[in-house]
Amino acid sequence: MEEHYVLGLILASLLGFLLVYALFFKKNDRRYSVEAVKSNTATTTTAINGECRSRNGAGDDVDVIIVGAGVAGAALAHTLGKDGGRVHVIERDLTEPDRIVGELLQPGGYLKLIELGLEDCVEEIDAQRVFGYALFKDGKNTRLSYPLEKFHSDVSGRSFHNGRFIQRMREKAATLPNVQMEQGTVTSLLEENGTIKGVQYKTKTGEEMSAYAPLTIVCDGCFSNLRRNLCSPKVDVPSCFVGLVLENCKLPHANHGHVILADPSPILFYPISSTEIRCLVDVPGQKVPSISNGEMATYLETVVAPQIPPELHDAFIATVEKGNIRTMSNRSMPAAPHPTPGALLMGDAFNMRHPLTGGGMTVALSDIVVLRNLLRPLRDVNDASTLCKYLESFYTLRKPVASTINTLAGALYKVFCASPDQARKEMREACFDYLSLGGFCSEGPVSLLSGLNPRPLSLVVHFFAVAIFGVGRLLLPFPSPKRMWIGARLISSASGIIFPIIKAEGFRQMFFPATVPAYYRAPPVW
């Protein structure tokens, strides 16, 4: 059997390269231009003529306006402020957020947090260290550890209350004298001749205000009402999360995230404090059973509870009976920007993926590192059109990390969901058994999942290695016409899962970013 695994991996690599090669020549080069923005800014408000670097409500010169102070906005405000930028942050609600997602930071994201000087923001919030995942299916389980041997002992994943983490970053950003945090609701972008000059917003007291800056960065989250002015959003809602918090119980594998390959779709457990465990039940589609009339409680008790590990069963039932159940739609949106003079999108307003793999904060923090490195050499940001052309490289430089995490999240979700199709069933079983092999077969995928090795080609190789492994299981010891047919459909199904995601992410930028002209764009000289 060992020789079979090796052969499978070789065949997977070959097949992956061939499919990638074929797709490369079919993929059209998608380009965006400033002109494309002009037809998509009908909802913006025209600004009064004047200098781009204008004054904010406090009467101070501002270099950057940041709309939103979630994970992306708060981290960006501290990063730019620490580098000397004068930053005005406008956030709808500065009280501590209470969300059921954004609670697991992968090790790759923690490394970015260190790079940004924000690692102390996971301290004093009862954050828990996470060292990997435990995967459960049909009474079997396997543990997958992060490959952390080459890193400092402090490097691992972190899980926590999302609101506590955000408040720590907001507080740290607000300590900088050149960062102004203001509670207000941004209603529109201020535009003049195709250039974003700033924002119009309502203060906490309801007063209408305008703020101006050479650069406006929109980070207003997954429900952004400004993104349509800056990108072509194609938001997909594949499922919803039903969130509960289990108290005073222990996970089967301490300090690990737990993924149960349940029917119809996965269930997640991970610690968010020393006494609390977050449970997220994925419900496919855009509708969930009603909480108010008791349908949700019945669904959780009859469909979900029998599929969770015995160690968590009683705590799960007790939590359902208490009735503290919340829901949230899971959204996916490829990055499709219109480079716009004077403005930039970041965070979930710009790019989303299924939260199954907990990769969202890693992508956001990685994007901030890329943007910081691009802005550091600049002495002046007032020439909006020149700055816009230069920052087009941001969209290319971020791609390998972001698209790998995005593609993995979308592909894993589809593979992990139950299906009546026999080929999909075989793919799901093959994925569990492949990861259970250990060594290269588990370390490679987990390094991708954790953000420690975000290499797109490695993702494709492992994905098709799983498919070939599944075909090999079908054909041994003796192939039959029926099994050969299922095997062929398995390969076809695998291709149908991953290639549409890669196409949406942008094949050329994902696999060959160095061939994109913007990749080499040098800082402008004024």
Side-chain angles (χ1 to χ4, degrees), residues 63-90:
D63 297 307
V64 180
I65 293 171
I66 297 177
V67 181
V71 171
L76 183 62
H78 177 268
T79 300
L80 299 184
K82 189 174 66 172
D83 279 359
R86 292 163 293 186
V87 181
H88 182 191
V89 183
I90 306 172

Side-chain angles (χ1 to χ4, degrees), residues 345-360:
L345 274 170
M346 296 283 286
D348 283 350
F350 175 47
N351 184 204
M352 294 180 283
R353 75 291 310 149
H354 195 284
L356 172 70
T357 59

